[in-house]
Amino acid sequence: MAEYSIESSKQGAARYIVEWLKLNVGMTTEGACGVTGNMYAECGFDPTLDVIDSNNLHAIGLCQWNGQNGEDLKSYANSRGKQWTDRDTQLAYLKLTLEDDSKYKALSNLYNLLKTTTDVAEASFQFCRQYEVCAGYNDRNSSENTKRRGYSQAIYKGVTTGGWEADGSVSTDTSVSGGISVRQGITPFPGNTRTSWSQPEEMGIVNFKNFVSSQGKKGVILGTHLKQISPKL
């Protein structure tokens, strides 16, 4: 049986991502390690990675967001005033896509599993199957799933018993998208229970014209999430 390990120079990044996902998404250690193992398989924790995928579209970042998903990441980063290559921005985007299951297929089951599971292998498999959808994604024993499971288990061992130190200070994500908090359960305006706003200013977007033209999309508030809806809808 092959032994999987994480390069020593990448162990700090692994610990950082695991702790970020636990703090800001509420994932269990096992769930966070399952996600992080997939990221290592995708890009080696390089948030700047930009490659041409097998479908001839660009795949970028920690999760190698492909095609339109990559463009959505760039728009999201722009709304935060960040570069798409920023690691924390990509992690916040991952969180948003997991919460927003109306757009990113039916991910609510995956989201809930990652916050409750005590099984690293299951977390790795389900994240690969439902989110990454890589080669052999639906076969637990495919070479890809075997590799990702091995990385996830190595990360779990490293962060729980190996003494790995995060390569940065992990803090609560209080960032906003277009002026709206993307943290689950936080009402954008205290005391205001409305779930939709008719004016851009009410959405926290001061210059709505520039916001729309910069992204080519219309911002709509649903609950506490900023969702990007195509003008064609």
Side-chain angles (χ1 to χ4, degrees):
M1 181 179 295
E3 289 291 332
Y4 293 91
S5 61
I6 307 301
E7 297 174 60
S8 59
S9 62
K10 303 294 182 67
Q11 292 171 1
R15 181 61 182 262
Y16 181 94
I17 294 169
V18 167
E19 295 304 324
W20 196 101
L21 294 173
K22 289 170 62 178
L23 177 64
N24 289 291
V25 187
M27 292 185 191
T28 62
T29 300
E30 293 84 355
C33 288
V35 172
T36 307
N38 272 271
M39 289 180 179
Y40 188 69
E42 291 285 337
C43 70
F45 302 140
D46 180 2
T48 70
L49 188 63
D50 181 348
V51 301
I52 300 298
D53 211 339
S54 57
N55 59 2
N56 294 319
L57 297 175
H58 282 269
I60 63 175
L62 293 172
C63 291
Q64 289 292 277
W65 287 282
N66 185 290
Q68 186 58 51
N69 287 330
E71 293 305 310
D72 288 346
L73 166 60
K74 292 178 180 179
S75 294
Y76 174 71
N78 184 60
S79 75
R80 287 169 55 115
K82 298 288 187 179
Q83 297 294 318
W84 71 261
T85 53
D86 178 67
R87 180 171 64 180
D88 279 11
T89 295
Q90 292 185 22
L91 292 173
Y93 178 71
L94 168 64
K95 177 186 178 184
L96 184 61
T97 60
L98 286 171
E99 292 177 345
D100 184 6
D101 64 357
S102 66
K103 180 176 182 181
Y104 295 90
K105 303 179 182 179
L107 293 176
S108 59
N109 288 339
L110 174 62
Y111 186 46
N112 291 331
L113 179 143
L114 295 172
K115 295 191 293 181
T116 58
T117 187
T118 58
D119 187 333
V120 178
E122 184 66 10
S124 176
F125 171 63
Q126 293 300 339
F127 189 77
C128 177
R129 186 175 73 87
Q130 298 185 53
Y131 197 94
E132 293 293 358
V133 195
C134 65
Y137 67 92
N138 217 26
D139 179 0
R140 290 178 184 272
N141 297 313
S142 69
S143 59
E144 271 298 322
N145 266 315
T146 298
K147 177 176 66 177
R148 289 161 190 256
R149 180 171 62 247
Y151 288 148
S152 298
Q153 290 171 332
I155 292 168
Y156 181 78
K157 181 178 179 180
V159 300
T160 57
T161 65
W164 294 0
E165 296 294 331
D167 65 359
S169 178
V170 181
S171 59
T172 301
D173 179 39
T174 57
S175 59
V176 297
S177 176
I180 304 302
S181 172
V182 298
R183 293 175 59 205
Q184 184 189 36
I186 294 181
T187 302
F189 303 96
N192 190 338
T193 58
R194 293 170 63 188
T195 56
S196 65
W197 286 265
S198 59
Q199 299 298 323
E201 292 79 8
E202 292 180 333
M203 296 161 57
I205 301 172
V206 177
N207 194 327
F208 190 64
K209 181 178 180 181
N210 287 347
F211 174 77
V212 173
S213 63
S214 69
Q215 301 190 52
K217 298 178 181 181
K218 185 181 296 183
V220 178
I221 302 302
L222 296 176
T224 60
H225 301 164
L226 176 65
K227 301 186 178 185
Q228 304 301 331
I229 307 299
S230 169
K232 295 181 180 179
L233 297 181

